[in-house]
Amino acid sequence: MSNVLMMLGPHMFTITALSFQKLSEEFSAEWAVMPHFGASPGLQFTGFGEDTKTISGVLFPQEFDNRIYIDAVTATIRAAIAVPFISWASGLAMAATIHGRVVIKSIKKDHDYINRYGQPGRITYSIDIQPFIDGGKPLGQWQ
C-alpha cells in the first residue's frame, strides 16, 4: 500500500493501476440579487454551491492491463452509494486527509488509439464527485 495516492471508496488510485494526473476543486456560494427601492440592488447569501471535485487521469490498458480499475469505478456509480474519499498527504508519511463521504456524480471515459482487436490503447477519464450531505451537515474536509 506504499504507492496508494488516494482512495475513493474501494478504489485505490496508485502509480500504476488506477493512476491520476490531476485533482480539480470548485467551491462556490449562491448570492441572490435583492432589489432596493430607490437604491442599487444588494446581495443576500442563500447557501453554498455544489463543491465539485474532479479526478482526471490517463490509463494505458494495453501496456498495464489497468482497464478493469476504471470499469470498477463505473460499477460504483451505478450502485448509487456514498463512498469515503481519502487522499494521502505525502508518500513517506502515513498522514491522510479524510474528505468525508462523497457521491460519484459522473464519469467520462474517452477511448482512443484503438488496436486491430477494437481495444483502446489509451483511456482518458474524469470523475466528478460531490460531498454527500446526510441531514444537511457535511462531513470530513467539507465541514
Side-chain angles (χ1 to χ4, degrees):
M1 194 157 140
S2 63
N3 66 347
V4 175
L5 306 171
M6 185 169 58
M7 290 188 70
L8 181 60
H11 312 290
M12 292 190 293
F13 290 80
T14 65
I15 303 282
T16 56
L18 185 56
S19 62
F20 73 100
Q21 280 70 42
K22 185 167 77 170
L23 175 64
S24 305
E25 300 175 306
E26 179 182 340
F27 300 99
S28 62
E30 304 296 329
W31 294 86
V33 176
M34 304 297 294
H36 295 154
F37 183 75
S40 297
L43 295 175
Q44 181 177 352
F45 177 72
T46 59
F48 294 105
E50 296 180 350
D51 295 345
T52 301
K53 293 186 181 196
T54 302
I55 304 164
S56 303
V58 180
L59 302 176
F60 298 95
Q62 292 179 18
E63 298 295 325
F64 300 108
D65 197 28
N66 53 5
R67 180 182 177 149
I68 58 171
Y69 301 107
I70 197 67
D71 290 342
V73 176
T74 304
T76 300
I77 194 172
R78 297 216 181 273
I81 57 172
V83 296
F85 179 48
I86 302 167
S87 62
W88 268 253
S90 70
L92 300 175
M94 295 307 290
T97 301
I98 300 173
H99 300 274
R101 292 173 62 200
V102 298
V103 292
I104 304 172
K105 294 282 288 186
S106 67
I107 182 168
K108 180 181 179 193
K109 299 185 278 187
D110 292 320
H111 305 247
D112 55 11
Y113 299 110
I114 308 299
N115 68 13
R116 63 183 175 184
Y117 304 110
Q119 300 301 314
R122 180 176 72 175
I123 300 173
T124 57
Y125 70 88
S126 62
I127 302 167
D128 290 333
I129 59 174
Q130 288 181 313
F132 177 70
I133 301 174
D134 190 15
K137 181 167 175 36
L139 301 172
Q141 184 194 19
W142 277 287
Q143 292 190 63

